[in-house]
Amino acid sequence: MARYKIVGGNRLSGEVTISGAKNAAVAILPATILVRGKCRIENVPDISDVRILLDILKDLGASVSREEGGVVEIDCTNVTSTHPNPELVRKMRASYYLMGSLLSRFGKANVALPGGCNFASRPIDQHIKGFMALGASVEETEDYVNLTEGPMGLHGNRVSLDVVSVGATMNIIMAACLLPGRTIIENAAKEPHIVDLANFLNTMGANISGAGTDTVKIRGVESLRGGTYAIIPDQIEAGTYMAAVAAAGGNVLVRNVIPKHMDCITSKLSEMGVQIFNYDDSIRVISEGRLRCATVKTRPYPGFPTDMQAQICVCMTIASGLSKLTESVYETRFFGYCSELANMGADISISGKTANVNGRKKLHGAMVCARDLRAGAALVIAGLAAEGTTYVGNIGYVERGYERIVEKLTALGADIQRIED
Ligand code: UD1
């Protein structure tokens, strides 16, 4: 078991370079199953979720090689298995994308139900609804989803999502890619990683339009060919470093970002008194003095991301006045970290979907424990901003999504160490 030991109080300064987007990478890697030929993918983050996916692909028969600097080459031409290793599949959430990609290429898939961060009940009924609309027969057991070609064959179709789901939108895009006819996804999610997946697939020869709007159209093609693609920078990693500077104070240039993707986060941090300057592909964040309280409601993109809820909450715990933080995507998400922040002196009361955060002048160090990826990142930020020493346990969660976090924070002047117990 490893933990982070953080001695709080250091201001952050210098530059940090953001890695490729986790939630794009974990979709694009399974999407390589659709391609016959070599995919060279750049800006792939070196995080444990990516390593698990690469192991799953290798186990299915893909040839996979990794170079320094975030480049991965994958050739799935010789994949024949449609039954990915269940132990690996259960280690992460995004393994559900194997369902869409295997179904599209082979007309069948037998995939264990995913694991990963369980900060809420996370149904996949909208993914299944999409696969069925595309002509799949679906057999669900307690542990598995078994997809086969239904009596009418697999074909494009219209799918109207009942909830705006990132995962279902991407899974249905993948499933429809190689099917005859046209698929239209209505009420689709619009997150930047959906556009990135569509751009990757189009680079390899797919015919997808409308990604980034609420209507995505996929005209099925016979096959996809290999090519080169670079993954976009990680919006949430960038937002996490911005929140860290906001909470701990300092002056940091956050490099390798798409400032437009950061608007929803930038505007809230600005309201809280943080100075933010956008450049072409970087953002300068300056935080001096005490933050001001704010009202934030999470929403699907382009709204404030649920994956930044915990990090902004830390900023609120030390802002002046009463902040209100409302969660509208995953209602139970507060329970992953608010009690840990309370151990550090935060004053948070939860009423239904809203956390009322009464800002204190300071947090103090404590022994706390990550219960999911973003909750873990928030506890790291809290440790950086607190007086005294904080130990963050269960850091496996953090390392699922943040590349070299200790190294990056240390370069900014933070006092953080990874200690093996
Ligand atoms: C993805 C992200 C996760 C982020 C979330 C919301 C990945 C790997 N994970 O998760 O980091 O927090 O988007 O931005 O990209 N829902 C259903 N039925 C479904 C699917 C979803 O009811 O079949 C509901 C969920 O319970 C939730 C909402 O829809 O309330 C949004 O979930 P969704 O966008 O699907 O999240 P994920 O794709 O799992």
Side-chain angles (χ1 to χ4, degrees), residues 22-24 26-27 49 92-97 119-129 161-170 189 191 193 236 299-301 305-308 327-331 333 373-374 400:
K22 165 190 169 281
N23 286 348
V26 296
D49 269 13
M92 61 180 301
R93 184 83 202 148
S95 49
Y96 52 34
Y97 293 127
F119 44 70
S121 133
R122 299 178 80 183
I124 57 163
D125 57 297
Q126 298 302 303
H127 305 231
I128 301 293
K129 172 181 167 172
L161 296 179
D162 304 319
V163 287
V164 179
S165 161
V166 173
T169 302
M170 302 230 259
E191 268 67 4
H193 30 290
I236 304 299
R299 293 179 196 277
Y301 190 81
T306 176
D307 282 353
M308 279 296 298
E327 173 60 45
S328 61
V329 182
Y330 284 112
E331 286 171 25
R333 212 164 180 166
L373 164 61
R374 306 303 170 187
R400 287 186 36 205

Side-chain angles (χ1 to χ4, degrees), residues 98-411:
L98 295 159
M99 296 179 197
S101 55
L102 288 168
L103 178 69
S104 197
R105 172 145 170 213
F106 298 105
K108 58 181 181 173
N110 181 241
V111 184
L113 284 169
C117 288
N118 283 324
F119 44 70
S121 133
R122 299 178 80 183
I124 57 163
D125 57 297
Q126 298 302 303
H127 305 231
I128 301 293
K129 172 181 167 172
F131 299 145
M132 289 173 78
L134 300 180
S137 289
V138 182
E139 191 194 336
E140 278 186 89
T141 67
E142 230 174 77
D143 306 322
Y144 274 92
V145 176
N146 193 32
L147 304 170
T148 48
E149 188 166 344
M152 309 295 282
L154 293 165
H155 51 78
N157 203 352
R158 189 176 283 269
V159 184
S160 182
L161 296 179
D162 304 319
V163 287
V164 179
S165 161
V166 173
T169 302
M170 302 230 259
N171 229 341
I172 298 166
I173 290 175
M174 285 189 223
C177 240
L178 299 178
L179 304 189
R182 190 163 73 145
T183 295
I184 300 177
I185 308 173
E186 289 162 346
N187 199 26
K190 298 182 262 194
E191 268 67 4
H193 30 290
I194 293 172
V195 180
D196 211 35
L197 172 70
N199 286 343
F200 162 76
L201 289 167
N202 284 341
T203 303
M204 307 300 156
N207 186 346
I208 301 165
S209 58
T213 75
D214 58 10
T215 306
V216 182
K217 296 179 181 163
I218 306 111
R219 171 81 62 188
V221 294
E222 280 201 352
S223 61
L224 300 182
R225 54 173 187 272
T228 298
Y229 189 77
I231 289 176
I232 52 166
D234 196 309
Q235 177 207 29
I236 304 299
E237 189 197 9
T240 301
Y241 282 97
M242 291 168 74
V245 180
N251 180 337
V252 169
L253 186 69
V254 184
R255 297 172 68 107
N256 189 35
V257 293
I258 298 175
K260 181 76 194 147
H261 292 170
M262 307 307 301
D263 281 352
C264 38
I265 298 164
T266 299
S267 63
K268 282 297 158 189
L269 289 175
S270 300
E271 265 180 56
M272 297 182 81
V274 180
Q275 293 177 65
I276 297 180
F277 302 94
N278 283 349
Y279 307 109
D280 287 348
D281 59 0
S282 59
I283 295 180
R284 181 165 295 282
V285 185
I286 303 174
S287 175
E288 283 157 355
R290 194 157 178 207
L291 297 170
R292 293 193 290 269
C293 57
T295 298
V296 173
K297 183 170 185 179
T298 67
R299 293 179 196 277
Y301 190 81
F304 189 90
T306 176
D307 282 353
M308 279 296 298
Q309 181 220 91
Q311 301 90 315
I312 197 100
C313 185
V314 175
C315 297
M316 291 172 166
T317 63
I318 49 171
S320 61
L322 181 66
S323 294
K324 282 194 178 294
L325 178 56
T326 302
E327 173 60 45
S328 61
V329 182
Y330 284 112
E331 286 171 25
T332 51
R333 212 164 180 166
F334 294 123
F335 299 108
Y337 65 94
C338 285
S339 55
E340 303 299 293
L341 289 180
N343 288 339
M344 300 179 72
D347 178 358
I348 305 172
S349 63
I350 298 166
S351 165
K353 294 180 180 182
T354 300
N356 298 297
V357 188
N358 196 4
R360 294 278 173 88
K361 275 204 171 136
K362 276 280 170 201
L363 298 178
H364 55 76
M367 305 266 259
V368 290
C369 204
R371 300 216 187 107
D372 67 66
L373 164 61
R374 306 303 170 187
L379 295 174
V380 170
I381 297 174
L384 297 172
E387 263 172 2
T389 304
T390 296
Y391 290 89
V392 181
N394 252 359
I395 58 172
Y397 279 119
V398 180
E399 294 175 356
R400 287 186 36 205
Y402 289 89
E403 183 177 76
R404 295 183 288 109
I405 186 168
V406 170
E407 204 179 300
K408 290 186 184 187
L409 285 170
T410 304

Side-chain angles (χ1 to χ4, degrees), residues 28-65:
I28 287 173
L29 297 179
T32 61
I33 288 175
L34 297 163
V35 180
R36 285 170 193 271
K38 192 189 284 180
C39 300
R40 182 179 166 86
I41 308 170
E42 299 167 356
N43 213 23
V44 179
D46 187 12
I47 51 178
S48 60
D49 269 13
V50 160
R51 290 192 284 271
I52 295 166
L53 272 172
L54 294 178
D55 285 345
I56 293 175
L57 291 173
K58 271 190 246 172
D59 191 65
L60 285 172
S63 107
V64 175
S65 65

